[in-house]
Amino acid sequence: MLNIVIFGAPGSGKGTQSAKLVEKYGLKHLSTGEILRDEIKAGTELGRLADTYMSRGELVPDELVIDILEGLIGKNGHIKGFVFDGFPRTLAQGEALGKMLQKHGEDVHAVVNLEVDEKELIDRLLKRGEISGRKDDNRETIESRLKVYHTQTAPLKEFYRARGILKKIEGVGSVDEIFRSIEKEIDTLVK
Ligand code: AP5
């Protein structure tokens, strides 16, 4: 299997580049943000709970997201691999992902780290907020999401750098240009 974590701040292009990874390498996309938004739409108990955190730009508790991922990894036995988008987001989630994959004799093979400057991130998210009306794309919540990213999520870069699998990608430019840089890294793993 080929298991890729797509990593970066809110608005760095994780969802956009995940779609291209899925298309080229035939992987299964697992976005915890999308899964949680679906739960909110469906009005489930998990959705209602998640909404209280997401609308403030805070992280949903580790146990909840780890549980969701554990179920999904177990269910998708015969696939080429996963693109994990928006997971892991804390060191505890990083440790948990490693353990979940090891249970199936698997591992994370690459962590694609999309680097985008803060001004560009805010511009992209505000723009999307105007168009799609995603509830957390407003200035106050964006600021909180970015703060949470720096304090709770960014430490994972060192976690994966120490394992030799962190691939730094310049995340500004056209979507195709950025994907070409990602492909270069992933193709060396596939060969
Ligand atoms: P999540 O859904 O993961 O959101 P996010 O990390 O804030 O990321 P975004 O979806 O906003 O951005 P992205 O990096 O995917 O970029 P995208 O491609 O969309 O999480 C939402 C919330 O759920 C969290 O705040 C948290 O509360 C909760 N949650 C999720 N996972 C969790 C976890 N594991 N643990 C705990 N809580 C969790 O692009 C953004 C915009 O930019 C788009 O409009 C796009 O068209 C545009 N764009 C993309 N690429 C480019 C480019 N190259 N140039 C110009 N514009 C571009």
Side-chain angles (χ1 to χ4, degrees), residues 7-18 31-34 36-37 50 53-62 65-66 69 85-90 93 114 120-121 124-125 127-129 131 134 136-137 141 145 148 171-176 178:
F7 187 87
S12 57
K14 300 185 295 293
T16 305
Q17 296 297 334
S18 290
S31 157
T32 41
E34 265 177 27
L36 292 168
R37 278 187 292 278
Y53 295 94
M54 290 167 79
S55 58
R56 293 196 299 256
E58 292 168 12
L59 296 183
V60 173
D62 283 338
V65 275
I66 290 170
L69 256 276
D85 166 5
F87 185 93
R89 257 180 152 97
T90 61
Q93 292 181 20
L114 296 169
E120 170 78 11
L121 294 171
R124 284 184 190 177
L125 295 174
K127 198 167 144 197
R128 185 177 61 188
I131 301 163
R134 203 171 112 175
D136 56 351
D137 284 342
T141 313
R145 285 157 69 196
V148 165
V172 181
S174 77
V175 169
D176 287 342
I178 297 164

Side-chain angles (χ1 to χ4, degrees), residues 123-183:
D123 286 351
R124 284 184 190 177
L125 295 174
L126 286 175
K127 198 167 144 197
R128 185 177 61 188
E130 282 165 18
I131 301 163
S132 76
R134 203 171 112 175
K135 211 170 138 192
D136 56 351
D137 284 342
N138 61 77
R139 192 171 285 276
E140 196 188 344
T141 313
I142 291 168
E143 275 169 16
S144 152
R145 285 157 69 196
L146 289 171
K147 206 160 148 198
V148 165
Y149 170 76
H150 289 299
T151 53
Q152 301 187 54
T153 305
L156 277 162
K157 283 194 245 181
E158 199 39 55
F159 177 86
Y160 285 120
R161 192 179 290 121
R163 286 160 176 73
I165 55 171
L166 188 75
K167 317 286 179 191
K168 184 178 167 192
I169 300 289
E170 170 63 51
V172 181
S174 77
V175 169
D176 287 342
E177 247 165 39
I178 297 164
F179 189 65
R180 274 196 289 279
S181 312
I182 298 176
E183 268 178 323

